[in-house]
């Protein structure tokens, strides 16, 4: 039988990200930790695109493992990781509850809430803020384009998990540099 094009695509993306992580971290414990995190994000992305769910079997253990690693790796500290869990999960939970209260329909699933808590556990609270901004920006641009192409208007449901994963990966590779660049814009 023919192999669907997505299987080699997923493997190629994962391999490419592994090379980038090796380039950034070398063969260190941080490389292995970030590879596990990145591989989880790749899996979550494709599952969310196909089924519009983010499996708890990945995100919930991901929160615990990310927090546990904060005691073993230099970054983030356990306090930054814990704050990342609370800010990540709490911020999207408030958005989801607020949206549902205003519109009387669900606008964001619980999987997105748990995914951002997982991202906070692995990368810390600063990454949550960056990830949320990057995901909202990329989601608006790409999602807005998809809505126009699908001709379904603002009621077209777009999974947010892939954009959160993209924002988290952007933080891993470029977050510090982009934040420094942005903050320098405000300095005389």
């Amino acid at each position: 039988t023919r192999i669907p094009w997505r299987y080699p695509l997923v493997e190629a993306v994962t391999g490419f990200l592994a090379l980038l992580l090796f380039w950034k971290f070398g063969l260190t414990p941080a490389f292995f930790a970030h590879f596990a995190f990145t591989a989880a994000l790749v899996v979550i992305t494709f599952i969310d695109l196909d089924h519009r769910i983010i499996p708890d079997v990945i995100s919930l253990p991901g929160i615990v493992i990310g927090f546990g690693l904060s005691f073993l790796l230099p970054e983030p500290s356990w306090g930054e990781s814990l704050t990342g869990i609370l800010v990540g999960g709490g911020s999207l939970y408030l958005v989801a509850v607020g949206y549902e209260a205003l519109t009387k329909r669900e606008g964001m699933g619980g999987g997105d809430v748990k995914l951002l808590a997982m991202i906070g556990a692995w990368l810390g609270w600063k990454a949550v803020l960056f990830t949320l901004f990057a995901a909202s920006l990329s989601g608006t641009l790409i999602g807005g384009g998809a809505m126009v192409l699908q001709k379904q208007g603002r009621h077209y449901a777009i999974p947010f998990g892939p954009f959160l994963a993209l924002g988290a990966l952007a933080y891993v590779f470029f977050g510090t540099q982009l934040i420094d660049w942005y903050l320098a814009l405000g300095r005389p």
Side-chain angles (χ1 to χ4, degrees):
T1 62
R2 296 182 72 182
I3 297 172
W5 63 269
R6 289 187 61 162
Y7 293 139
L9 174 66
V10 169
E11 292 184 18
V13 166
T14 305
F16 179 69
L17 291 170
L19 283 174
L20 291 176
L21 289 167
F22 179 75
W23 173 67
K24 182 170 178 75
F25 296 105
L27 197 58
T28 63
F31 162 77
F32 291 104
H34 281 87
F35 178 72
F37 174 67
T38 300
L41 292 178
V42 171
V43 170
I44 285 169
T45 294
F46 283 95
I47 290 173
D48 201 17
L49 286 171
D50 284 344
H51 304 288
R52 297 187 190 218
I53 60 166
I54 297 173
D56 286 349
V57 70
I58 299 171
S59 59
L60 294 179
I63 294 168
V64 174
I65 293 168
F67 182 63
L69 285 172
S70 71
F71 291 93
L72 303 173
L73 298 174
E75 290 183 25
S77 69
W78 71 267
E80 291 170 333
S81 178
L82 181 60
T83 304
I85 294 167
L86 298 173
V87 169
S91 62
L92 281 191
Y93 179 76
L94 290 174
V95 168
V97 168
Y99 184 85
E100 192 167 344
L102 290 172
T103 64
K104 305 297 184 228
R105 60 189 170 103
E106 184 180 277
M108 180 166 297
D112 297 318
V113 172
K114 291 174 254 185
L115 174 57
L116 195 55
M118 182 181 107
I119 291 167
W122 283 82
L123 302 177
W125 68 269
K126 293 175 190 170
V128 167
L129 302 176
F130 180 94
T131 298
L132 202 48
F133 176 77
S136 298
L137 180 63
S138 61
T140 299
L141 295 174
I142 295 169
M147 286 179 188
V148 170
L149 291 174
Q150 295 293 326
K151 298 179 182 176
Q152 294 193 18
R154 62 186 179 97
H155 297 292
Y156 182 63
I158 297 170
F160 194 50
F163 299 109
L164 290 170
L166 182 63
L169 290 175
Y171 183 83
V172 167
F173 293 111
F174 312 110
T176 304
Q177 297 91 329
L178 288 172
I179 291 170
D180 290 345
W181 169 79
Y182 179 75
L183 293 175
L185 291 176
R187 291 186 204 130

